Amino acid sequence: MKVIGVDEIRRRITPARAIAAMRDAVLAQSRGDCDTPMPMHLDLSPAGGGEVHIKSSYCRGGRHVALKVAGNYARRPYGSIAL
């Protein structure tokens, strides 16, 4: 797997290309061309006072899989971090 940073993403993808890709994705989803399972929710309240949400989708015949993982904490599980 190759991991690239935000600067490389901005060099490769223009705003117009991003908008066109999102339009294509929304149309494919509305046609039923995507496998998009229900989001998964992990409750971390007992351990860390937070939660994690996992979402994914795949457009049949496509080259890529979309995966989003987002977490939030009501309180930091390991104490405060000074910035």
Side-chain angles (χ1 to χ4, degrees):
M1 172 182 7
K2 182 176 182 179
V3 178
I4 60 175
V6 68
D7 292 335
E8 182 67 18
I9 292 169
R10 287 184 176 140
R11 279 194 293 276
R12 293 182 184 201
I13 307 295
T14 64
R17 281 186 67 194
I19 291 168
M22 287 302 301
R23 179 184 182 279
D24 292 345
V26 169
L27 290 172
Q29 179 73 26
S30 70
R31 288 190 304 264
D33 294 342
C34 299
D35 291 324
T36 307
M38 293 299 295
M40 185 167 58
H41 173 252
L42 302 173
D43 184 3
L44 306 177
S45 293
E51 58 190 30
V52 175
H53 300 270
I54 303 166
K55 300 175 182 179
S56 63
S57 187
Y58 170 70
C59 185
R60 287 184 287 285
R63 295 176 48 210
H64 306 284
V65 173
L67 179 65
K68 176 184 176 182
V69 179
N72 65 333
Y73 295 89
R75 57 178 165 59
R76 295 179 187 263
Y78 304 109
S80 297
I81 298 173
L83 300 177

Coordinates of all heavy atoms in Angstrom, one line a residue:
M1 N 0.8 -1.2 0.0 CA 0.0 0.0 0.0 C 0.9 1.2 0.0 O 1.9 1.3 0.7 CB -0.9 0.0 1.2 CG -1.6 1.3 1.4 SD -2.7 1.5 2.8 CE -2.5 0.2 3.9
K2 N 0.5 2.2 -0.8 CA 1.3 3.4 -0.9 C 0.4 4.5 -0.1 O -0.7 4.7 -0.4 CB 1.5 3.9 -2.3 CG 2.3 5.2 -2.4 CD 2.5 5.5 -3.9 CE 3.4 6.8 -3.9 NZ 3.7 7.1 -5.3
V3 N 1.0 5.2 0.8 CA 0.4 6.2 1.6 C 0.9 7.5 1.1 O 2.2 7.7 1.0 CB 0.6 6.0 3.1 CG1 0.0 7.2 3.9 CG2 0.1 4.7 3.6
I4 N 0.1 8.5 0.7 CA 0.5 9.8 0.3 C -0.1 10.9 1.1 O -1.2 10.7 1.7 CB 0.2 10.0 -1.2 CG1 -1.4 9.9 -1.5 CG2 0.9 9.0 -2.1 CD1 -1.8 10.3 -2.9
G5 N 0.6 12.0 1.2 CA 0.1 13.1 2.0 C -0.8 14.0 1.3 O -1.0 13.9 0.1
V6 N -1.3 15.0 2.0 CA -2.2 16.0 1.5 C -1.6 16.8 0.3 O -2.3 17.1 -0.7 CB -2.8 16.9 2.6 CG1 -1.7 17.8 3.1 CG2 -4.0 17.7 2.1
D7 N -0.3 17.1 0.4 CA 0.3 17.9 -0.7 C 0.3 17.1 -2.0 O 0.0 17.6 -3.1 CB 1.7 18.3 -0.4 CG 1.8 19.3 0.8 OD1 0.8 20.1 0.9 OD2 2.8 19.4 1.5
E8 N 0.6 15.8 -1.9 CA 0.6 14.9 -3.1 C -0.8 14.8 -3.6 O -1.1 14.8 -4.9 CB 1.2 13.6 -2.8 CG 1.2 12.6 -4.0 CD 2.2 13.1 -5.1 OE1 3.1 13.9 -4.8 OE2 2.1 12.6 -6.2
I9 N -1.8 14.7 -2.8 CA -3.2 14.5 -3.2 C -3.6 15.8 -3.9 O -4.2 15.7 -5.0 CB -4.1 14.3 -2.0 CG1 -3.9 12.9 -1.4 CG2 -5.6 14.5 -2.4 CD1 -4.5 12.7 0.0
R10 N -3.2 17.0 -3.4 CA -3.6 18.2 -4.1 C -2.9 18.4 -5.4 O -3.5 19.0 -6.3 CB -3.2 19.4 -3.2 CG -4.2 19.5 -2.0 CD -3.9 20.7 -1.2 NE -4.9 20.8 -0.1 CZ -4.6 21.2 1.1 NH1 -3.4 21.5 1.5 NH2 -5.6 21.3 2.0
R11 N -1.7 17.8 -5.6 CA -1.1 17.8 -6.9 C -1.8 16.9 -7.9 O -1.8 17.2 -9.1 CB 0.4 17.4 -6.8 CG 1.3 18.5 -6.3 CD 2.8 18.2 -6.5 NE 3.2 17.1 -5.6 CZ 3.6 17.1 -4.4 NH1 3.6 18.3 -3.8 NH2 4.0 16.1 -3.7
R12 N -2.3 15.8 -7.4 CA -2.9 14.8 -8.3 C -4.4 15.1 -8.6 O -4.9 14.7 -9.7 CB -2.8 13.4 -7.7 CG -1.4 12.9 -7.6 CD -1.4 11.5 -7.1 NE -0.1 11.0 -6.9 CZ 0.2 9.7 -6.8 NH1 -0.7 8.8 -6.8 NH2 1.4 9.4 -6.6
I13 N -5.1 15.7 -7.7 CA -6.6 15.8 -7.8 C -7.0 17.3 -7.8 O -6.8 17.9 -6.8 CB -7.3 15.1 -6.7 CG1 -6.9 13.6 -6.6 CG2 -8.8 15.2 -6.9 CD1 -7.2 12.8 -7.8
T14 N -7.5 17.8 -8.9 CA -8.0 19.2 -8.9 C -9.4 19.2 -8.3 O -10.1 18.2 -8.2 CB -8.1 19.7 -10.3 OG1 -9.1 18.9 -11.0 CG2 -6.8 19.6 -11.1
P15 N -9.8 20.4 -7.8 CA -11.2 20.5 -7.3 C -12.3 20.0 -8.4 O -13.2 19.3 -8.0 CB -11.4 22.0 -7.0 CG -10.0 22.4 -6.7 CD -9.1 21.6 -7.6
A16 N -12.1 20.3 -9.6 CA -13.0 19.8 -10.7 C -13.1 18.3 -10.8 O -14.2 17.7 -10.9 CB -12.7 20.4 -12.0
R17 N -11.9 17.7 -10.7 CA -11.9 16.2 -10.7 C -12.5 15.6 -9.5 O -13.2 14.6 -9.6 CB -10.4 15.7 -10.8 CG -9.9 15.7 -12.2 CD -8.5 15.1 -12.3 NE -8.6 13.7 -12.1 CZ -7.5 12.9 -11.9 NH1 -6.3 13.4 -11.8 NH2 -7.7 11.6 -11.7
A18 N -12.3 16.2 -8.3 CA -12.9 15.7 -7.1 C -14.5 15.8 -7.2 O -15.2 14.9 -6.8 CB -12.4 16.5 -5.9
I19 N -15.0 17.0 -7.7 CA -16.4 17.2 -7.8 C -17.0 16.1 -8.8 O -18.0 15.5 -8.5 CB -16.7 18.6 -8.2 CG1 -16.4 19.5 -7.0 CG2 -18.2 18.8 -8.6 CD1 -16.4 21.0 -7.4
A20 N -16.3 15.9 -9.9 CA -16.8 15.0 -10.9 C -16.8 13.5 -10.3 O -17.8 12.8 -10.5 CB -15.9 15.0 -12.1
A21 N -15.8 13.2 -9.5 CA -15.8 11.9 -8.9 C -16.9 11.7 -7.9 O -17.5 10.6 -7.8 CB -14.4 11.6 -8.3
M22 N -17.1 12.7 -7.1 CA -18.2 12.6 -6.2 C -19.6 12.5 -6.9 O -20.4 11.8 -6.4 CB -18.2 13.9 -5.2 CG -17.1 13.9 -4.2 SD -17.1 12.4 -3.1 CE -18.7 12.6 -2.4
R23 N -19.8 13.3 -7.9 CA -21.0 13.2 -8.7 C -21.2 11.8 -9.2 O -22.3 11.2 -9.1 CB -21.0 14.2 -9.9 CG -22.2 14.1 -10.8 CD -22.1 15.0 -12.0 NE -23.3 15.0 -12.8 CZ -23.6 14.1 -13.7 NH1 -22.8 13.1 -13.9 NH2 -24.7 14.2 -14.4
D24 N -20.1 11.2 -9.8 CA -20.2 9.8 -10.3 C -20.5 8.8 -9.2 O -21.3 7.9 -9.4 CB -18.9 9.4 -11.0 CG -18.6 10.2 -12.3 OD1 -19.6 10.8 -12.8 OD2 -17.5 10.1 -12.7
A25 N -20.0 9.0 -8.0 CA -20.2 8.1 -6.9 C -21.6 8.2 -6.4 O -22.3 7.2 -6.1 CB -19.3 8.4 -5.8
V26 N -22.2 9.4 -6.3 CA -23.6 9.6 -5.9 C -24.5 9.0 -6.9 O -25.5 8.3 -6.5 CB -23.9 11.1 -5.7 CG1 -25.4 11.3 -5.5 CG2 -23.1 11.6 -4.5
L27 N -24.3 9.1 -8.2 CA -25.1 8.5 -9.2 C -25.0 7.0 -9.2 O -26.1 6.3 -9.3 CB -24.7 9.0 -10.6 CG -25.1 10.5 -10.9 CD1 -24.4 10.9 -12.2 CD2 -26.6 10.7 -10.9
A28 N -23.8 6.5 -9.0 CA -23.7 5.0 -8.9 C -24.4 4.5 -7.7 O -25.1 3.4 -7.8 CB -22.2 4.6 -8.8
Q29 N -24.3 5.2 -6.6 CA -25.1 4.7 -5.4 C -26.6 4.8 -5.6 O -27.3 3.8 -5.2 CB -24.7 5.7 -4.2 CG -25.4 5.3 -2.9 CD -24.9 4.1 -2.2 OE1 -23.7 3.7 -2.4 NE2 -25.7 3.5 -1.4
S30 N -27.1 5.8 -6.3 CA -28.5 5.9 -6.5 C -29.0 4.9 -7.5 O -30.2 4.5 -7.4 CB -28.8 7.4 -7.0 OG -28.4 7.6 -8.3
R31 N -28.1 4.4 -8.4 CA -28.5 3.3 -9.3 C -28.5 1.9 -8.7 O -28.9 1.0 -9.3 CB -27.6 3.3 -10.5 CG -27.8 4.5 -11.5 CD -27.0 4.2 -12.8 NE -25.6 4.0 -12.6 CZ -24.6 5.0 -12.6 NH1 -25.0 6.2 -12.9 NH2 -23.4 4.7 -12.4
G32 N -27.9 1.9 -7.5 CA -27.8 0.6 -6.8 C -26.5 -0.2 -7.3 O -26.4 -1.4 -7.1
D33 N -25.5 0.5 -7.8 CA -24.3 -0.1 -8.3 C -23.2 -0.3 -7.2 O -22.2 -0.9 -7.5 CB -23.7 0.7 -9.4 CG -24.5 0.8 -10.7 OD1 -25.4 -0.1 -10.8 OD2 -24.3 1.7 -11.5
C34 N -23.5 0.1 -6.0 CA -22.5 0.1 -4.9 C -23.0 -0.9 -3.8 O -24.1 -1.1 -3.5 CB -22.4 1.4 -4.3 SG -21.8 2.7 -5.5
D35 N -22.0 -1.6 -3.2 CA -22.2 -2.4 -2.0 C -21.8 -1.5 -0.9 O -20.6 -1.2 -0.7 CB -21.3 -3.6 -2.0 CG -21.8 -4.6 -3.1 OD1 -23.0 -4.7 -3.3 OD2 -20.9 -5.3 -3.7
T36 N -22.8 -1.1 -0.1 CA -22.5 -0.2 1.0 C -23.2 -0.7 2.3 O -24.4 -0.5 2.5 CB -23.1 1.3 0.7 OG1 -22.5 1.7 -0.5 CG2 -22.7 2.3 1.8
P37 N -22.5 -1.5 3.1 CA -23.1 -2.0 4.3 C -23.4 -1.0 5.3 O -22.9 0.2 5.2 CB -22.0 -3.0 4.8 CG -20.7 -2.5 4.3 CD -21.1 -1.9 3.0
M38 N -24.2 -1.3 6.3 CA -24.6 -0.4 7.3 C -23.3 0.0 8.1 O -22.4 -0.8 8.2 CB -25.6 -1.0 8.3 CG -27.0 -1.2 7.7 SD -27.7 0.3 7.1 CE -28.0 1.1 8.6
P39 N -23.2 1.2 8.6 CA -22.0 1.6 9.4 C -21.9 0.8 10.6 O -22.9 0.3 11.2 CB -22.3 3.1 9.7 CG -23.3 3.6 8.7 CD -24.1 2.3 8.4
M40 N -20.6 0.6 11.0 CA -20.4 -0.1 12.3 C -20.1 0.9 13.4 O -19.4 1.9 13.1 CB -19.2 -1.1 12.1 CG -18.9 -1.9 13.4 SD -17.8 -3.3 13.1 CE -16.3 -2.5 12.6
H41 N -20.6 0.7 14.6 CA -20.4 1.6 15.7 C -19.8 0.8 16.8 O -20.3 -0.2 17.2 CB -21.8 2.2 16.1 CG -21.7 3.0 17.3 ND1 -22.2 2.6 18.5 CD2 -21.2 4.2 17.6 CE1 -22.1 3.5 19.4 NE2 -21.4 4.5 18.9
L42 N -18.7 1.3 17.4 CA -18.0 0.8 18.5 C -18.1 1.7 19.7 O -17.7 2.9 19.6 CB -16.5 0.5 18.2 CG -16.2 -0.5 17.1 CD1 -14.8 -0.5 16.8 CD2 -16.8 -1.8 17.4
D43 N -18.8 1.3 20.7 CA -18.9 2.2 21.9 C -17.7 1.9 22.9 O -17.5 0.8 23.4 CB -20.2 1.8 22.6 CG -20.5 2.7 23.8 OD1 -19.7 3.6 24.1 OD2 -21.5 2.5 24.5
L44 N -16.9 2.9 23.0 CA -15.7 2.8 23.9 C -15.9 3.5 25.3 O -15.0 3.7 26.0 CB -14.5 3.5 23.2 CG -14.2 3.0 21.8 CD1 -13.1 3.8 21.2 CD2 -13.9 1.5 21.8
S45 N -17.2 3.8 25.6 CA -17.5 4.5 26.8 C -16.9 3.8 28.1 O -16.2 4.5 28.9 CB -19.0 4.6 27.0 OG -19.5 5.5 26.0
P46 N -17.0 2.5 28.3 CA -16.4 1.9 29.5 C -14.9 2.1 29.5 O -14.3 2.3 30.6 CB -16.8 0.5 29.4 CG -17.9 0.4 28.5 CD -17.7 1.5 27.5
A47 N -14.2 2.1 28.4 CA -12.7 2.1 28.4 C -12.2 3.5 28.2 O -11.2 3.9 28.9 CB -12.2 1.2 27.2
G48 N -12.8 4.3 27.4 CA -12.2 5.6 27.1 C -13.1 6.8 26.9 O -12.7 7.9 26.6
G49 N -14.4 6.6 27.1 CA -15.4 7.7 27.0 C -15.6 8.1 25.6 O -15.8 9.3 25.4
G50 N -15.5 7.2 24.6 CA -15.7 7.7 23.3 C -16.4 6.6 22.4 O -17.0 5.7 22.9
E51 N -16.3 6.8 21.1 CA -16.9 5.9 20.2 C -16.1 6.0 18.8 O -15.5 7.0 18.5 CB -18.4 6.2 20.0 CG -18.6 7.6 19.5 CD -20.1 8.0 19.5 OE1 -20.8 7.4 20.4 OE2 -20.5 8.8 18.7
V52 N -16.3 4.9 18.0 CA -15.7 4.8 16.7 C -16.8 4.4 15.7 O -17.6 3.6 16.0 CB -14.5 3.8 16.7 CG1 -14.0 3.6 15.3 CG2 -13.4 4.2 17.7
H53 N -16.8 5.1 14.6 CA -17.7 4.8 13.5 C -16.9 4.3 12.3 O -15.9 5.0 11.9 CB -18.6 6.0 13.1 CG -19.4 6.5 14.3 ND1 -20.6 6.0 14.5 CD2 -19.1 7.4 15.3 CE1 -21.1 6.6 15.6 NE2 -20.2 7.4 16.1
I54 N -17.3 3.2 11.6 CA -16.6 2.7 10.5 C -17.6 2.6 9.3 O -18.7 2.0 9.5 CB -16.0 1.3 10.8 CG1 -15.1 1.5 12.0 CG2 -15.3 0.8 9.5 CD1 -14.6 0.1 12.6
K55 N -17.3 3.2 8.2 CA -18.2 3.2 7.0 C -17.4 2.7 5.8 O -16.2 3.0 5.7 CB -18.8 4.6 6.8 CG -19.6 5.1 7.9 CD -20.1 6.5 7.6 CE -20.8 7.1 8.8 NZ -21.3 8.4 8.6
S56 N -18.0 2.0 4.9 CA -17.3 1.5 3.7 C -18.3 1.4 2.6 O -19.5 1.4 2.7 CB -16.7 0.1 4.0 OG -17.7 -0.8 4.3
S57 N -17.7 1.4 1.4 CA -18.5 1.2 0.2 C -17.6 0.7 -1.0 O -16.4 1.0 -1.0 CB -19.2 2.5 -0.2 OG -20.1 2.3 -1.3
Y58 N -18.2 0.0 -1.9 CA -17.5 -0.5 -3.1 C -18.4 -0.4 -4.3 O -19.6 -0.9 -4.2 CB -17.0 -1.9 -2.9 CG -16.5 -2.5 -4.2 CD1 -15.3 -2.1 -4.7 CD2 -17.2 -3.5 -4.8 CE1 -14.8 -2.7 -5.9 CE2 -16.7 -4.1 -6.0 CZ -15.5 -3.7 -6.5 OH -15.0 -4.3 -7.7
C59 N -18.0 0.2 -5.4 CA -18.8 0.3 -6.6 C -18.4 -0.9 -7.4 O -17.2 -1.1 -7.8 CB -18.5 1.6 -7.3 SG -19.5 1.8 -8.8
R60 N -19.3 -1.8 -7.7 CA -19.0 -3.1 -8.4 C -18.4 -2.7 -9.7 O -18.8 -1.9 -10.5 CB -20.3 -3.8 -8.6 CG -20.8 -4.5 -7.3 CD -22.0 -5.4 -7.5 NE -23.3 -4.6 -7.7 CZ -23.9 -4.0 -6.8 NH1 -23.5 -3.9 -5.6 NH2 -25.0 -3.3 -7.1
G61 N -17.2 -3.4 -10.0 CA -16.5 -3.2 -11.2 C -15.4 -2.1 -11.0 O -14.6 -1.9 -11.9
G62 N -15.4 -1.5 -9.9 CA -14.5 -0.4 -9.7 C -13.1 -0.8 -9.2 O -12.9 -2.0 -9.0
R63 N -12.2 0.1 -9.2 CA -10.8 -0.2 -8.8 C -10.5 0.1 -7.3 O -9.4 -0.3 -6.8 CB -9.8 0.6 -9.7 CG -9.9 0.2 -11.1 CD -9.0 1.1 -12.0 NE -7.7 1.2 -11.4 CZ -6.9 2.3 -11.5 NH1 -7.3 3.4 -12.2 NH2 -5.7 2.3 -11.0
H64 N -11.4 0.7 -6.6 CA -11.1 1.2 -5.3 C -12.2 0.9 -4.3 O -13.3 0.7 -4.7 CB -10.9 2.7 -5.3 CG -9.8 3.2 -6.2 ND1 -8.5 3.0 -6.0 CD2 -10.0 3.7 -7.5 CE1 -7.8 3.5 -7.1 NE2 -8.7 3.9 -7.9
V65 N -11.8 0.8 -3.0 CA -12.8 0.7 -1.9 C -12.7 1.9 -1.1 O -11.6 2.4 -0.8 CB -12.4 -0.6 -1.1 CG1 -13.2 -0.7 0.1 CG2 -12.5 -1.8 -1.9
A66 N -13.8 2.4 -0.7 CA -13.8 3.6 0.2 C -14.0 3.1 1.7 O -14.9 2.2 1.9 CB -15.0 4.5 -0.1
L67 N -13.2 3.6 2.6 CA -13.3 3.2 4.0 C -13.0 4.5 4.8 O -12.1 5.2 4.6 CB -12.2 2.2 4.3 CG -12.2 1.7 5.7 CD1 -13.4 1.0 6.1 CD2 -11.0 0.8 5.9
K68 N -14.0 4.7 5.7 CA -13.8 5.9 6.6 C -13.9 5.4 8.1 O -14.8 4.7 8.4 CB -14.9 6.9 6.3 CG -15.0 8.1 7.3 CD -16.1 9.0 7.0 CE -16.2 10.1 8.0 NZ -17.4 10.9 7.8
V69 N -12.9 5.8 8.8 CA -12.9 5.5 10.3 C -12.8 6.8 11.0 O -11.9 7.6 10.8 CB -11.8 4.5 10.6 CG1 -11.8 4.2 12.1 CG2 -11.8 3.2 9.8
A70 N -13.8 7.0 11.9 CA -13.8 8.3 12.7 C -14.0 8.0 14.1 O -14.9 7.2 14.4 CB -14.8 9.2 12.1
G71 N -13.2 8.5 15.0 CA -13.4 8.4 16.4 C -13.5 9.7 17.1 O -12.9 10.7 16.7
N72 N -14.3 9.7 18.2 CA -14.3 10.9 19.1 C -14.4 10.4 20.5 O -14.9 9.3 20.8 CB -15.4 11.8 18.7 CG -16.8 11.2 18.9 OD1 -17.0 10.0 18.9 ND2 -17.8 12.0 19.1
Y73 N -13.9 11.2 21.4 CA -13.8 10.9 22.8 C -14.4 12.1 23.6 O -14.1 13.2 23.4 CB -12.4 10.7 23.2 CG -11.8 9.5 22.6 CD1 -11.1 9.6 21.4 CD2 -11.9 8.2 23.2 CE1 -10.6 8.5 20.7 CE2 -11.3 7.1 22.6 CZ -10.7 7.3 21.4 OH -10.2 6.1 20.7
A74 N -15.3 11.7 24.5 CA -15.8 12.7 25.4 C -14.7 13.2 26.4 O -14.6 14.3 26.8 CB -17.0 12.2 26.3
R75 N -13.8 12.3 26.7 CA -12.6 12.6 27.5 C -11.5 11.8 26.9 O -11.7 10.7 26.3 CB -12.8 12.3 28.9 CG -13.1 10.9 29.3 CD -13.3 10.7 30.8 NE -13.9 9.5 31.2 CZ -13.5 8.3 30.9 NH1 -12.5 8.1 30.2 NH2 -14.2 7.2 31.4
R76 N -10.3 12.3 27.0 CA -9.1 11.5 26.4 C -8.8 10.3 27.3 O -8.7 10.5 28.5 CB -7.9 12.5 26.3 CG -8.1 13.6 25.4 CD -6.8 14.5 25.4 NE -7.1 15.6 24.6 CZ -6.7 15.7 23.3 NH1 -6.1 14.8 22.7 NH2 -6.9 16.9 22.7
P77 N -8.7 9.2 26.7 CA -8.5 8.0 27.5 C -7.1 7.9 28.2 O -7.0 7.2 29.2 CB -8.6 6.8 26.5 CG -8.4 7.4 25.2 CD -8.8 8.9 25.3
Y78 N -6.1 8.7 27.7 CA -4.8 8.6 28.3 C -4.4 9.9 28.9 O -3.2 10.3 28.9 CB -3.8 8.1 27.2 CG -4.2 6.8 26.6 CD1 -4.7 6.7 25.4 CD2 -4.2 5.6 27.4 CE1 -5.1 5.5 24.8 CE2 -4.6 4.4 26.9 CZ -5.0 4.3 25.6 OH -5.5 3.1 25.1
G79 N -5.3 10.7 29.3 CA -5.0 12.0 29.9 C -4.9 13.1 28.8 O -5.0 12.9 27.6
S80 N -4.6 14.3 29.2 CA -4.5 15.4 28.3 C -3.2 15.4 27.6 O -2.2 15.0 28.1 CB -4.6 16.7 29.1 OG -5.9 16.8 29.7
I81 N -3.2 16.0 26.4 CA -2.0 16.1 25.6 C -1.7 17.6 25.4 O -2.6 18.3 24.9 CB -2.1 15.4 24.2 CG1 -2.4 13.9 24.4 CG2 -0.9 15.7 23.3 CD1 -2.7 13.2 23.1
A82 N -0.6 18.0 25.8 CA -0.2 19.4 25.6 C 0.2 19.7 24.2 O 1.1 19.0 23.7 CB 0.9 19.8 26.6
L83 N -0.3 20.7 23.6 CA 0.1 21.1 22.2 C 0.9 22.3 22.2 O 0.8 23.2 22.9 CB -1.1 21.2 21.3 CG -2.0 20.0 21.2 CD1 -3.2 20.3 20.3 CD2 -1.3 18.9 20.5

